[in-house]
Amino acid sequence: MDYDTFIDQVARRTRTSAERAAALTTAALETLAERLTGGEVLDLAAQVPRPLQDVLKPSPRTEWAERFGAAEFVARVGQRAGVDENTARDGARAVFTTLREAITAGEFDDVVSQLPRDYRAMVEPAMAPGAPLRGGA
């Protein structure tokens, strides 16, 4: 999946402009990068469109995953994207669903395995039966 398609899918899912979808996508991926181990961030970056790879660059301080729950994830997305909590939550769901389409099933599973249970409301729509998947493991 290319960058424009990724952003268009997030925009469609959030019923917002491409500009807001791009901001939500960047905010969600930056926050996700903080929550994942550095090695997993690199694995994920290898599978997303080029402009999003820059968002997923781990730094020495991100070698270890920060521990924070779904509420903090949504708060960080909202702060970064300059949106309210509901918009941030909907945006995060849309990004996870689009990410599921853009990367291999195995990589998505690796990402999700690093997230605690309270992330389910954001992640499960991407894992629902009939959710579009890209092949591979």
Side-chain angles (χ1 to χ4, degrees), residues 8-108:
D8 287 345
Q9 290 297 324
V10 173
R12 183 181 59 78
R13 288 185 168 106
T14 56
R15 295 185 176 106
T16 191
S17 69
E19 293 78 22
R20 171 146 307 160
L24 287 166
T25 298
T26 298
L29 292 178
E30 284 177 353
T31 306
L32 183 60
E34 292 170 343
R35 187 61 186 79
L36 301 175
T37 62
E40 190 55 48
V41 172
L42 289 173
D43 291 347
L44 177 58
Q47 292 192 25
V48 297
R50 170 99 36 219
L52 298 177
Q53 290 174 359
D54 292 336
V55 175
L56 293 168
K57 296 289 186 205
S59 68
R61 67 176 180 76
T62 60
E63 183 55 35
W64 300 102
E66 285 187 50
R67 302 249 183 246
F68 54 86
E72 177 65 17
F73 187 96
V74 170
R76 290 182 187 198
V77 170
Q79 183 178 28
R80 285 184 166 123
V83 298
D84 63 42
E85 181 180 328
N86 289 332
T87 303
R89 184 178 296 105
D90 291 345
R93 279 190 201 117
V95 170
F96 276 115
T97 301
T98 306
L99 196 59
R100 177 67 164 140
E101 296 170 356
I103 65 176
T104 64
E107 181 55 31
F108 189 80

